[in-house]
Amino acid sequence: MPVTAVGQSVSRKDGIGKATGAAKYADDLTWPGMLHGRTIRSTVPRGRIRAVLFDFDTTGFTIVDHADVPGSNMVDLIERDQPLLAVHEVRHVGEPILLLAHEDKEVLHAARVLVEYEELPPLLDPEGSEQTFKTITIDKGDAAAMAGADLVVEGTYQTGHQEHIYIEPNGVIAVPEDGGITVHGSIQCPFYALKALKALLGPDIPARVVQTETGGGFGGKEEFPSIPAGHAALLAHKSGRPVKIIYDRVEDMVSTTKRHPSIVRHRTGVKRDGTLVAMEVEVILDGGAYVTLSPVVLSRGCIHAAGPYRCDNIRIEGRAVFTNTPPNGAFRGFGAPQTEFAVEVQMERVAEALGMDPVEFRRKNALRAGDTTATGQVLREDCSALAVLDEAVRRTEFARKRTEYEGTDRAIGLSLFYHGAGFTGSGERYLKSRARLEVTPTGVRIATGSTEIGQGTRTMHAQIVADALGVPYESVEVAQPDTKHVVDSGPTVASRTCMVVGKILEECAVEMRSELGKLSPAEYFAKHGAMTVERMYEPPDWIRWDDATYRGDAYATYGWGCDVVELEVDPDTFDVRLLEVTAVQEFGRPIHPALARGQIEGGTVQGLGYALLERVVMRNGAMANAQLTNYTIPTTLDVPEIDVVMLENPYPGGPFGAKGLGELPMDGPAPAVVNALRHLGHDIRAIPATPEMIAASPVAART
Amino acid sequence: MRFTLNGLPVETNAHPMARLLDVLREEQRLTGTKEGCGEGECGACTVLVDGQSVCSCLVPVAQVEGARVTTIEGLHGTHPLQKLFMDEVGAQCGICTPGMVLAALALEDNPVPTLDDVRTALAGNLCRCTGYSAIYRAVLKWRAEADSGPHAAPEQASARHK
């Protein structure tokens, strides 16, 4: 079959709406009789609620507390430990206690609610927490082999919170209809929100979720929107009217999930010739006050914690712990950016301790096809660690610059990294994701739960279907995710939307083609009427995974990357100026090269912000800098253009050879930056590496 | 109070200290102007007032009395930069795009902007998706095409003079 759309940068399916302002985001929608909703939140990190007092005229208000919940008051996620509305106690600043709605926004926000607490001492230090949400141990060989090493290098690495800063804050509108509640909103995973709404509303109130145009997600709208969706639904149910809840930026930053802060300790044993003998890694993630997705974030973090390196003896021990801070959750990379930062700075230090060139050290130890990972997975031909390293080093003339920059204010550093695509282990088997294709009078329509959040889902799925079905790209429509009309394709997360859901769509298209015979979909419709094809995902049959022992094939495949960062540090202000950033990445085959490049450029810049700028200041359990004025993300003046190289190594298990891509670019920038600072003599072991931190860092003599 | 909105005269009864952003979105129902932070940091609410780009969340409506206000809707979807933002994937999630497009119009009088000119013009507008590179490609291509295209000049000028 001739391939005409895949591999081409065809026009986005979004049309022109995003550039004309016509695209409708949650806050752009109104319904007749709509009320505005507001959340009253805890102002203390830990306490018992003594009283809730209304210091306003309640006429015209709808007021909801935990007693108004028709079903279960617990968010239905991994554990049911997080109340939608606090009952007697609060465990973090920003915890929802009470909901108000009113038709006039100004009256709503002028209402004063006083909450009296019996304050209790909060637990804020994750290392001091004995309350563990999840522990994981990964054992390969025998870490006691460390005793036979010529040299052992130890180090502790820390990463801070990171805020998603989707430019559109969280927003939803709940609308009573047909005896139930429909929630329209800025939501990455409509079926997660649906599950939560069903538990909240109980069996007698049907729920439905419709995704509106979504102004960025990055994981921040993965599990979190179940909470505002539930709140709006409660207000709508009680008032009988549509209710809109839109967070302002401060509320979004104070109250919603962030990337888990981490503490990672390494002990690495090596031979004089640079051979890795043993690695011991301890991973601590600060989960915040409720479980959310912390067990799975910890899982991905631990699996990636030994980096893309061959070592026969590895022990990784991880724990996600409770603190009285707002719960942390999904964020692009999902634990891997934290642990890959640690291992890549550790590897740089090991090479340094050996007196070895950092590239040679990595080249010697990088995973190759046939090698086994920390979980014992034997890598196949889709392993490209050496290929990305060699291309990055060649392209940037790394060796020459490394020498040339000695004794200047300029430096160069790199990182080697990988990212597992799709759900971990047996996750894709449990998910049973589905996708559906429908013949229409003019072509075909894709009906999946996968959301477009900017990354190009609509476009890339339509390309896959067009070519697998042999129809023009323009004749493929993509339905807006609406839980009443599409099937559950699993969440739009984990770099799985192209590789997994795209694969199901490819299979649907192949099956539909055999039903159509030689007819076009439109001809078939005219002759026989509607037809739909629906299929479920079948992971590759060779995947073996044991959840109890953490042994086996953690991911069907991995993407591979090598980032090189050149920078200058101002000798007086310690400001870092990024000069050149090169990102070499292998993710199978790009379905849409321009979209893929956009994922790499955007993810790399988020990673550069994580490395240098984005510092969440926590004061008594609350974010103290919850404004874009003093939590800064990269602007046009902070980052150079990214030099992107996409290496191809088609993966047979993905549609047209594609692997997952979305998260991979997030893993590499931070260690590459810190390794470049190290080249300048600054011993940095924590990010963000702000000028203050660089100024205070021990400076080693440059070799 | 009167001002000119996308070429047409409008009258508003809004409080003089009401944010221009709210008057545009709620009273005039022009929702292409977005709110990202409410404090002038993100630039999603960028509009043009007498041809100058401003954050409409920081401007009390009283300040635009008698002025010409242009929102993204005022470009009528026909400005070449709008198509280039989509073609070059300068728009991903799209929430910053209307503000970016309007901020980029500051380069209209610059026939051959350098990359640094583009970066400076867009420094007040945050994008969390693209890392900006695709936006630069869209803007630079627009200027390059405008420089060589015979029909480009009158079309570009539309935003300023409506």
Side-chain angles (χ1 to χ4, degrees):
Chain A
M1 192 158 296
V3 170
T4 56
V6 167
Q8 307 295 316
S9 294
V10 296
S11 295
R12 289 189 68 132
K13 280 284 172 193
D14 313 275
I16 193 76
K18 288 176 172 176
T20 60
K24 296 294 181 202
Y25 300 79
D27 197 21
D28 303 335
L29 301 171
T30 54
W31 266 260
M34 188 177 80
L35 307 178
H36 297 276
R38 176 181 159 204
T39 314
I40 305 298
R41 301 174 180 279
S42 168
T43 52
V44 303
R46 184 177 170 220
R48 274 188 267 280
I49 299 169
R50 279 228 200 92
V52 178
L53 308 165
F54 301 142
D55 187 18
F56 63 98
D57 177 2
T58 57
T59 314
F61 277 86
T62 302
I63 302 175
V64 161
D65 71 6
H66 65 91
D68 292 301
V69 174
S72 160
N73 186 31
M74 293 298 181
V75 181
D76 192 0
L77 201 58
I78 294 176
E79 302 284 339
R80 293 177 186 173
D81 66 328
Q82 182 175 15
L84 265 291
L85 291 167
V87 182
H88 301 300
E89 60 156 343
V90 288
R91 294 190 191 174
H92 67 87
V93 169
E95 181 155 3
I97 297 171
L98 189 81
L99 304 169
L100 306 178
H102 194 278
E103 62 188 2
D104 185 320
K105 254 198 279 188
E106 278 188 38
V107 175
L108 174 71
H109 288 282
R112 269 166 49 93
V113 178
L114 306 172
V115 182
E116 289 178 5
Y117 305 93
E118 177 193 341
E119 285 195 55
L120 299 166
L123 172 61
L124 300 175
D125 172 20
E127 288 221 78
S129 178
E130 288 172 7
Q131 203 177 323
T132 301
F133 292 140
K134 173 82 176 173
T135 58
I136 286 172
T137 303
I138 298 174
D139 263 320
K140 177 187 182 189
D142 183 1
M146 189 81 72
D150 295 329
L151 185 70
V152 174
V153 177
E154 301 189 9
T156 300
Y157 306 92
Q158 288 183 270
T159 62
H161 285 99
Q162 186 183 20
E163 246 299 319
H164 302 88
I165 313 291
Y166 26 67
I167 303 297
E168 178 207 27
N170 273 282
V172 294
I173 309 109
V175 182
E177 58 181 22
D178 305 330
I181 301 284
T182 298
V183 174
H184 303 255
S186 184
I187 293 173
Q188 245 177 282
C189 307
F191 286 90
Y192 276 7
L194 182 70
K195 180 171 175 246
L197 284 170
K198 282 180 172 172
L200 175 75
L201 296 173
D204 301 330
I205 306 168
R208 172 181 165 198
V209 177
V210 184
Q211 184 220 3
T212 55
E213 201 68 68
T214 297
F218 317 114
K221 295 171 185 171
E222 176 175 340
E223 79 286 8
F224 182 80
S226 293
I227 295 174
H231 289 162
L234 291 172
L235 285 165
H237 177 61
K238 188 158 180 179
S239 65
R241 292 166 69 171
V243 176
K244 178 191 270 189
I245 296 181
I246 305 288
Y247 290 174
D248 69 17
R249 181 58 62 184
V250 175
E251 181 175 26
D252 199 291
M253 292 175 87
V254 167
S255 315
T256 75
T257 52
K258 296 174 183 49
R259 187 185 298 289
H260 291 70
S262 74
I263 302 162
V264 180
R265 293 200 175 81
H266 274 269
R267 279 188 83 217
T268 308
V270 279
K271 293 278 187 202
R272 277 276 157 230
D273 68 358
T275 309
L276 285 169
V277 175
M279 299 174 78
E280 289 174 6
V281 193
E282 181 191 11
V283 179
I284 303 168
L285 295 184
D286 180 350
Y290 296 102
V291 173
T292 70
L293 297 173
S294 291
V296 229
V297 175
L298 179 71
S299 170
R300 190 176 277 270
C302 285
I303 289 169
H304 289 80
Y309 300 106
R310 47 195 342 194
C311 178
D312 292 334
N313 305 293
I314 300 177
R315 163 159 274 210
I316 299 164
E317 292 182 294
R319 61 182 195 272
V321 301
F322 168 92
T323 58
N324 288 108
T325 59
N328 297 307
F331 194 151
R332 191 180 204 167
F334 212 72
Q338 293 95 315
T339 59
E340 296 203 58
F341 164 72
V343 71
E344 274 304 278
V345 180
Q346 170 77 1
M347 289 299 136
E348 194 79 3
R349 292 184 52 239
V350 173
E352 200 174 272
L354 285 166
M356 252 180 109
D357 175 77
V359 174
E360 275 321 300
F361 177 71
R362 285 182 174 83
R363 196 173 274 142
K364 184 175 180 69
N365 290 296
L367 288 166
R368 291 143 168 88
D371 285 344
T372 54
T373 66
T375 64
Q377 174 169 6
V378 180
L379 292 170
R380 300 174 174 230
E381 292 305 320
D382 48 0
C383 172
S384 297
L386 274 181
V388 293
L389 177 63
D390 286 343
E391 173 61 17
V393 166
R394 185 198 63 76
R395 188 175 179 88
T396 58
E397 299 182 68
F398 188 86
R400 178 181 66 75
K401 289 177 177 171
R402 187 89 177 169
T403 314
E404 238 175 63
Y405 295 167
E406 298 293 340
T408 70
D409 293 329
R410 187 174 280 213
I412 186 167
L414 62 71
S415 64
L416 183 63
F417 53 98
Y418 66 151
H419 201 93
F423 264 33
T424 304
S426 313
E428 292 294 346
R429 201 171 298 281
Y430 299 144
L431 264 181
K432 297 186 176 17
S433 303
R434 309 184 80 84
R436 192 167 70 207
L437 261 190
E438 304 165 351
V439 168
T440 71
T442 54
V444 289
R445 178 165 51 232
I446 293 169
T448 74
S450 297
T451 52
E452 169 72 56
I453 56 173
Q455 81 285 47
T457 298
R458 293 173 189 137
T459 305
M460 166 272 291
H461 277 175
Q463 288 176 281
I464 291 168
V465 166
D467 283 3
L469 192 57
V471 300
Y473 166 75
E474 294 71 25
S475 72
V476 184
E477 282 177 68
V478 186
Q480 185 74 355
D482 173 341
T483 57
K484 194 174 171 185
H485 296 300
V486 301
V487 287
D488 185 355
S489 313
T492 303
V493 305
S495 310
R496 64 186 296 281
T497 303
C498 177
M499 187 183 84
V500 174
V501 186
K503 184 70 187 174
I504 322 173
L505 283 170
E506 183 189 33
E507 289 171 356
C508 286
V510 169
E511 186 181 325
M512 181 173 274
R513 175 43 67 197
S514 73
E515 296 288 323
L516 293 174
K518 290 201 160 73
L519 297 178
S520 75
E523 288 163 351
Y524 181 96
F525 190 93
K527 211 167 166 184
H528 305 289
M531 185 217 327
T532 65
V533 174
E534 190 177 313
R535 291 182 70 99
M536 194 178 84
Y537 185 62
E538 282 295 337
D541 57 8
W542 50 264
I543 291 187
R544 300 280 177 276
W545 176 255
D546 186 336
D547 272 323
T549 62
Y550 260 68
R551 306 297 299 156
D553 303 310
Y555 300 98
T557 189
Y558 297 81
W560 306 88
C562 183
D563 285 350
V564 178
V565 167
E566 290 177 56
L567 52 76
E568 246 171 20
V569 176
D570 184 303
D572 298 318
T573 64
F574 294 92
D575 256 327
V576 175
R577 197 158 75 90
L578 296 167
L579 303 170
E580 309 240 351
V581 177
T582 303
V584 178
Q585 321 221 329
E586 186 272 287
F587 48 97
R589 180 168 175 235
I591 299 292
H592 188 295
L595 283 174
R597 176 178 297 266
Q599 285 298 296
I600 297 170
E601 289 168 342
T604 302
V605 168
Q606 280 183 10
L608 294 170
Y610 187 45
L612 289 168
L613 302 172
E614 299 183 36
R615 179 163 176 251
V616 171
V617 178
M618 295 296 280
R619 218 168 272 154
N620 197 30
M623 184 173 181
N625 56 332
Q627 286 173 287
L628 287 176
T629 306
N630 42 20
Y631 179 87
T632 51
I633 66 167
T635 70
T636 56
L637 300 180
D638 296 308
V639 283
E641 282 192 287
I642 312 299
D643 178 29
V644 172
V645 181
M646 298 184 269
L647 294 187
E648 290 199 17
N649 181 8
Y651 162 60
F656 297 93
K659 299 177 179 176
L661 168 62
E663 295 169 289
L664 175 69
M666 187 73 217
D667 295 338
V673 165
V674 168
N675 288 340
L677 289 169
R678 185 163 201 90
H679 182 218
L680 216 45
H682 293 286
D683 185 9
I684 304 282
R685 313 226 183 149
I687 50 169
T690 57
E692 293 87 344
M693 268 186 53
I694 298 169
S697 68
V699 180
R702 286 180 72 159
T703 50
Chain B
M1 224 205 77
R2 294 161 188 274
F3 61 98
T4 305
L5 177 57
N6 297 329
L8 298 171
V10 292
E11 190 163 353
T12 176
N13 295 319
H15 188 282
M17 288 307 288
R19 303 187 303 174
L20 176 58
L21 172 65
D22 295 330
V23 173
L24 294 172
R25 285 182 56 86
E26 291 169 19
E27 189 190 282
Q28 301 295 324
R29 303 274 167 158
L30 296 179
T31 55
T33 306
K34 308 298 182 187
E35 176 165 4
C37 70
E39 55 170 345
E41 286 292 335
C42 77
C45 65
T46 299
V47 300
L48 303 181
V49 175
D50 289 336
Q52 294 292 312
S53 70
V54 299
C55 288
S56 60
C57 73
L58 296 181
V59 176
V61 68
Q63 216 170 312
V64 302
E65 178 151 30
R68 285 173 293 122
V69 177
T70 306
T71 70
I72 193 70
E73 289 88 352
L75 303 190
H76 305 291
T78 55
H79 197 283
L81 191 51
Q82 291 177 296
K83 187 169 180 304
L84 281 166
F85 258 76
M86 299 314 296
D87 289 350
E88 297 296 315
V89 197
Q92 283 191 30
C93 83
I95 196 85
C96 76
T97 310
M100 276 293 176
V101 168
L102 289 169
L105 291 181
L107 294 163
E108 207 153 43
D109 301 329
N110 185 341
V112 198
T114 63
L115 178 59
D116 274 351
D117 292 339
V118 178
R119 292 168 70 173
T120 303
L122 301 180
N125 293 66
L126 296 176
C127 171
R128 190 57 151 170
C129 295
T130 64
Y132 305 107
S133 293
I135 294 173
Y136 303 154
R137 289 194 282 275
V139 174
L140 289 171
K141 200 165 177 184
W142 163 53
R143 295 319 298 149
E145 286 177 2
D147 201 28
S148 57
H151 306 295
E155 234 181 298
Q156 290 161 38
S158 59
R160 290 288 178 87
H161 303 300
K162 274 208 168 112

